[in-house]
Amino acid sequence: MRGGVAMGRVRARAMAAAVAAMMIAPLGSGVASAQDRAVDPIVASQALLADPVAPNGSRIVSSEIDGQHLTVQVYSAAMDATIPVRVQRPHDASEPRPVLYLVNGAGGGTDSATWWANTDVGEFLTGQDVNVVMPLGGAFSYYTDWKREDPNLGMNKWQTFFLDELPPLIDAALGTNGVQAIAANSMTATAVLQYAIARPGFYSAVAGYSGCAQTSDPIGREFVKLVVETWGGGDVRNMYGEDDDPAWVTNDPVVNAEGLRGTPLFISDATGLPGPHDTLGNEFTIGEQDAALDQQGLALANQVVVGGVIEAAVHWCTTNLQARLNELDIPATFDLQPAGTHSWGYWQDAFHRSWPLLAEGLGLAQPE
């Protein structure tokens, strides 16, 4: 039954993508036909199939090709800014393929803390028949729509970007089949739940690793303030307003969990206790592996102490989300590990555990 429902969603989204493509005004003439794609999948994997402009003026400004990878510069009308977007084309691009939006954590991918730099996930996905799309920007913004521009963090309209601006451009430029899933870690794992609630059925699957879902209770608000204000230097009043502003509740995935009904969910975290990746010399230990032993020790201490405290807080949030979904009888896969800190080794492991759910949502056949 679940497979039939998933395939029904695939067909529905494919039709929606076709409608969206017709609503976007293509510029330029370099549009490849389906026959062209089938004849030369290598060329198809390297070239954009259209030069689209969305109704609000958002558009692809330019693209740079490097084999299976592209860096696409996307102008966001909502933020009046150009956002770099990293794209990895499918293993086989000879026919329309789905999209996996892979989202970075608190740094927004503007630093070295990215899925490609810190895990094997990018390499793993090179062998899959899926477009991988990773926007770079929005550090410490919670990837949400802010009330107003912030003096330090600028104009942030990331929910608008992810739901309204970027997908139709990606669908038209890459010739996708209109099916999309999203996966995110840390700060942005909150955002992807907000997106799923704001636009039911938009994503065929959602995976969040080590995110704090709640925002409106005192502890949830303090977690948001830690990221936005302490680490990012922003002002949450520009984001959701004063503590009693209704926007805090409106954007709380735990309070609004009913909106997650029908979306396949994979939610992962750990307890914060040291785990297998929290050892001296481990490839995932923060810091340079060829650094002096004392520097590695400091990096490990930071990962265990700071990363442990953060993950313990996240675990508390996640169990609250789990209780709320159980109360509402909304199915979800919860992947709660007995040990592990807020760090990349555990997110890599969690991604691989979530891949079957993501792949099913994307309509990708997996080996038995």
Side-chain angles (χ1 to χ4, degrees), residues 248-313:
W248 289 94
V249 175
T250 300
N251 289 280
D252 190 320
V254 175
V255 174
N256 300 287
E258 177 60 40
L260 295 170
R261 189 180 301 277
T263 299
L265 300 169
F266 184 98
I267 310 296
S268 176
D269 74 7
T271 60
L273 297 173
H277 295 304
D278 302 303
T279 58
L280 197 62
N282 187 279
E283 63 175 314
F284 293 106
T285 300
I286 300 169
E288 297 295 332
Q289 296 306 306
D290 59 354
L293 191 61
D294 59 339
Q295 292 176 311
Q296 290 187 39
L298 288 173
L300 176 60
N302 179 73
Q303 181 166 306
V304 170
V305 176
V306 178
V309 170
I310 293 173
E311 194 68 8

Side-chain angles (χ1 to χ4, degrees), residues 54 56 58 76-79 157 160-169:
N56 74 345
S58 297
S76 163
M79 292 186 277
K157 295 290 183 182
T160 296
F161 184 71
F162 270 91
L163 294 182
D164 297 322
E165 295 183 324
L166 183 61
L169 299 179

Side-chain angles (χ1 to χ4, degrees), residues 184-195:
N185 65 302
S186 193
M187 173 191 80
T188 57
T190 305
V192 298
L193 294 175
Q194 294 170 335
Y195 299 168

